[in-house]
């Protein structure tokens, strides 16, 4: 049930517990976004994942792997499914027979949300992702500064000629 959104999962957990139901042993989200919503709801309400509730999901999104706790999730290999689907479509369009069923194997990616220990490689990847967030924020701040300056140069332009002159000045070589 749901629209694959974290807010939907939060609402479902809230309604389930508001109805007087006990805290479940585990929650399996339809996707990683919903599982992260469950984890956040639990944390916001004093419940701890995985100590109080185990959480798992599907899709193996990068955000879910970098989340805390890192999600236990089933990697359905959407890229492989898409590739195989396209190959089957091309065969069908070429008049070839295709199998009625095709299996793409999935893989369980164990994370902390079910109580498993995070592998060293995944822990290092999460640390790197945290550092990358900082670097992206700095890059974004520099870009925002450039956009503000560009706006300052362009906002007074009333004609194409003024815009051309302003952009030429803004983008051209700076005097030393």
């Amino acid at each position: 049930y749901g629209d694959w959104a974290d807010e939907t999962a939060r609402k479902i957990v809230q309604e389930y517990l508001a109805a007087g139901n006990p805290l479940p042993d585990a929650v399996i989200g339809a996707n990683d976004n919903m599982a992260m919503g469950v984890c956040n709801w639990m944390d916001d309400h004093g419940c701890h994942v995985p100590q109080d509730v185990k959480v798992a999901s599907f899709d193996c999104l990068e955000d879910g792997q970098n989340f805390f706790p890192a999600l236990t999730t089933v990697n359905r290999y959407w890229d492989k499914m898409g590739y195989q689907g396209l190959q089957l479509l091309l065969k069908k369009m070429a008049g070839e027979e295709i199998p009625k069923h095709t299996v793409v194997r999935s893989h369980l990616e164990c994370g902390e949300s079910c109580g498993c220990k995070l592998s060293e490689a995944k822990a290092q990847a999460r640390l790197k992702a945290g550092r990358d967030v900082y670097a992206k924020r700095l890059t974004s701040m520099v870009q925002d500064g450039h956009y503000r300056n560009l706006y300052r140069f362009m906002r007074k332009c009333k004609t194409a000629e003024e815009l051309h002159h302003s952009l030429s000045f803004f983008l051209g070589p700076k005097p030393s």
Side-chain angles (χ1 to χ4, degrees):
Y1 171 78
D3 57 5
W4 316 112
D6 62 340
E7 283 301 317
T8 301
R10 286 171 168 261
K11 183 179 175 190
I12 291 168
V13 171
Q14 175 70 38
E15 290 172 357
Y16 174 83
L17 294 173
N21 295 305
L23 197 62
D25 294 330
V27 174
I28 308 296
N31 70 358
D32 287 353
N33 289 328
M34 294 183 88
M36 287 184 282
V38 169
C39 290
N40 283 333
W41 188 95
M42 294 291 175
D43 189 57
D44 291 346
H45 293 86
C47 299
H48 303 285
V49 174
Q51 296 87 342
D52 300 324
V53 177
K54 313 284 190 239
V55 175
S57 57
F58 295 86
D59 290 343
C60 198
L61 298 179
E62 185 176 354
D63 285 346
Q65 296 302 291
N66 296 330
F67 190 75
F68 188 82
L71 293 181
T72 293
T73 182
V74 175
N75 189 338
R76 294 191 265 195
Y77 296 112
W78 291 105
D79 54 340
K80 289 180 184 178
M81 277 195 261
Y83 180 81
Q84 283 190 333
L86 182 58
Q87 294 302 313
L88 292 170
L89 177 62
L90 292 172
K91 285 181 180 181
K92 182 74 169 176
M93 290 170 60
E96 297 178 37
E97 286 291 319
I98 61 171
K100 186 172 181 173
H101 300 283
T102 300
V103 174
V104 177
R105 298 239 179 250
S106 58
H107 177 75
L108 177 66
E109 299 282 343
C110 292
E112 300 156 318
S113 66
C114 72
C116 292
K117 184 171 174 20
L118 201 59
S119 72
E120 184 61 31
K122 286 186 179 186
Q124 290 301 315
R126 183 166 56 190
L127 286 173
K128 182 183 180 321
R131 290 185 186 107
D132 288 349
V133 167
Y134 173 73
K136 287 177 186 176
R137 186 171 58 86
L138 287 179
T139 299
S140 178
M141 288 171 50
V142 169
Q143 287 175 340
D144 288 348
H146 289 306
Y147 290 137
R148 281 191 303 276
N149 287 335
L150 182 59
Y151 173 74
R152 194 180 82 224
F153 275 92
M154 293 175 55
R155 70 178 175 195
K156 297 177 184 175
C157 298
K158 304 235 186 299
T159 67
E161 291 79 22
E162 287 176 357
L163 179 61
H164 180 266
H165 176 73
S166 186
L167 286 174
S168 296
F169 180 79
F170 181 77
L171 299 172
K174 304 293 182 228
S176 31

